[in-house]
Amino acid sequence: MKKVLTFIAVTLLSATLAFSQSAVINVTHDNMTDVSLAPDATDTRTITITNTGNRPLEWNIMGKGEEVFFQKLDYADPMMPENQDHVIYNVWITRDFEEGLFNAASETSYSGSYSPEGTLWAYGTSDTITFDRYEDWESAVYPPPGMVQNMVSLFIPASETFYDLDFYNWQQWGYGGAFSYSRVEYPDWLTFDVSEGILPVGETQVITVTFDATGEPYMNMAHVVIESNDVNNPVLEVETQMMVSDRMPEAYANETTYTFGDVTYGESASMPVYISNAGLAPLEITNVFSNTAQLSVDQTAFTIEPFKRGMVMLTFTPDSVFSHTFELSFVNNDTAPANDTIVYTIEVTSVDTLTGGVVETELTHTMPSNTLDTLYFTVTNGDGFAQNFDIKLAPVGDVVFFQKNDY
């Protein structure tokens, strides 16, 4: 019995020693959400990491933006907005039932090394890739199934933004074109003088965090993510926010002509009309109006954030049968005189509901033999629609039915 108790005591002592030899991370930091800068200016804050444990602390630090999950199912229509990842106002990533990715904002299908238009790609994460490695999507990732479970970096020159994409699936061989990924914006405006290290017991590491407003929009938000071998706190996050003054919006239209198909008089049809913000400050839409009461919208005032797009639902309710071109205007706070009102051309056609038919009317008139006479009758259109008609005269007599049976 004594030997058993001794064995248990030794086992408990070993477990206690193993447990006590753990790295413990302690993090303190300056205020990281009150950074306000002029354009192209920089500022710094500090984050301090201390190892209060009993073994070396292994750590790394990085910036991380908003995470978005996107999925397109097999055989989903790539031209429908819900099947497109609207990364920014003019980059809408999607795919047809087969082949590669394309940009639905400017393309209708995949076109090899040109697609997706306005993008550059490279394998890896955005913080580890040199700019000379970025190339068109086909050259960067071919064959595409290799993207699954590998990180891919996307760079968009129009907004000078980087994204890390983690692909979960890629349907092959023309079986519907499904794909999915999570997308995280890489905040290149947030950098660190030291990004990783091993901290001895009791030691402290001071990290300088630099905020850079160069080319950035009016508001920027991200998390500083600190990963370590602290088993109780393997991931810690610190919120950051940088405001940039004197930024301006820029109203932008991907297309300025919208066409309604035939709309039946007495009914209505609707379609979305888009307007985008290519600027660095919020675009305020203060009024949306048309030069006809037959066009209406679901909202007349809203805000569009930088590099995003807004939408109104436009409804056409014809009051007669006609074809015409109207205007739809978006009044906004873009300071450029040419952009403070964006005017769209709306082409409309309305049709009637007539399907045609035959109306029979019996005319009776008695005439002497070998004479010529004239009859007059009137056809009235009382439906309010233009009508085409033919008149045929046929003699009316007794109807005789005849049948011959087999054999």
Side-chain angles (χ1 to χ4, degrees), residues 87-137:
V87 186
I88 66 169
Y89 66 96
N90 63 350
V91 175
W92 310 341
I93 301 297
T94 190
R95 182 190 179 201
D96 213 330
F97 303 160
E98 56 183 357
E99 298 187 311
L101 300 177
F102 67 92
N103 180 3
S106 56
E107 303 174 281
T108 57
S109 64
Y110 175 67
S111 57
S113 61
Y114 189 72
S115 297
E117 183 181 11
T119 65
L120 294 171
W121 304 73
Y123 268 119
T125 56
S126 303
D127 61 333
T128 62
I129 301 171
T130 56
F131 191 75
D132 59 347
R133 287 181 51 197
Y134 285 92
E135 52 191 337
D136 64 89
W137 178 82

Side-chain angles (χ1 to χ4, degrees), residues 127-361:
D127 61 333
T128 62
I129 301 171
T130 56
F131 191 75
D132 59 347
R133 287 181 51 197
Y134 285 92
E135 52 191 337
D136 64 89
W137 178 82
E138 184 177 84
S139 300
V141 308
Y142 193 85
M147 295 187 298
V148 177
Q149 297 182 344
N150 282 297
M151 296 301 296
V152 181
S153 176
L154 162 65
F155 173 63
I156 301 179
S159 57
E160 297 185 351
T161 48
F162 295 84
Y163 301 86
D164 291 331
L165 277 62
D166 187 3
F167 277 80
Y168 301 122
N169 78 296
W170 180 273
Q171 181 62 272
Q172 302 183 65
W173 316 121
Y175 291 135
F179 70 100
S180 63
Y181 56 67
S182 63
R183 167 172 56 81
V184 177
E185 182 174 357
Y186 169 64
D188 60 337
W189 49 271
L190 197 64
T191 58
F192 313 93
D193 66 334
V194 183
S195 60
E196 61 183 359
I198 299 177
L199 201 58
V201 174
E203 295 294 320
T204 294
Q205 174 72 58
V206 178
I207 303 166
T208 300
V209 184
T210 300
F211 294 77
D212 188 347
T214 304
E216 298 300 330
Y218 81 108
M219 182 172 67
N220 304 268
M221 302 177 67
H223 287 88
V224 172
V225 181
I226 305 170
E227 299 176 339
S228 73
N229 61 335
D230 183 337
V231 295
N232 294 315
N233 295 289
V235 180
L236 296 174
E237 295 190 359
V238 179
E239 292 186 7
T240 68
Q241 178 174 294
M242 177 180 71
M243 303 296 293
V244 184
S245 63
D246 300 324
R247 293 308 195 193
M248 303 302 297
E250 181 182 344
Y252 173 82
N254 287 81
E255 56 181 310
T256 56
T257 299
Y258 287 79
T259 303
F260 279 97
D262 291 348
V263 179
T264 302
Y265 168 67
E267 300 179 1
S268 297
S270 299
M271 70 166 61
V273 175
Y274 298 99
I275 183 169
S276 302
N277 181 8
L280 298 175
L283 180 68
E284 303 289 344
I285 306 299
T286 56
N287 195 16
V288 183
F289 65 91
S290 175
N291 58 347
T292 175
Q294 297 173 83
L295 292 175
S296 60
V297 294
D298 62 338
Q299 57 178 338
T300 59
F302 52 95
T303 301
I304 307 173
E305 291 297 314
F307 306 127
K308 300 298 182 181
R309 69 170 184 170
M311 181 196 77
V312 298
M313 189 60 67
L314 178 66
T315 299
F316 173 45
T317 306
D319 61 7
S320 60
V321 177
F322 64 96
S323 292
H324 197 69
T325 298
F326 294 115
E327 292 182 349
L328 184 69
S329 299
F330 288 76
V331 182
N332 62 82
N333 65 331
D334 189 330
T335 57
N339 281 354
D340 60 358
T341 301
I342 301 294
V343 180
Y344 293 76
T345 298
I346 311 298
E347 300 173 341
V348 301
T349 300
S350 61
V351 296
D352 61 47
T353 57
L354 294 180
T355 57
V358 176
V359 177
E360 295 186 0
T361 300

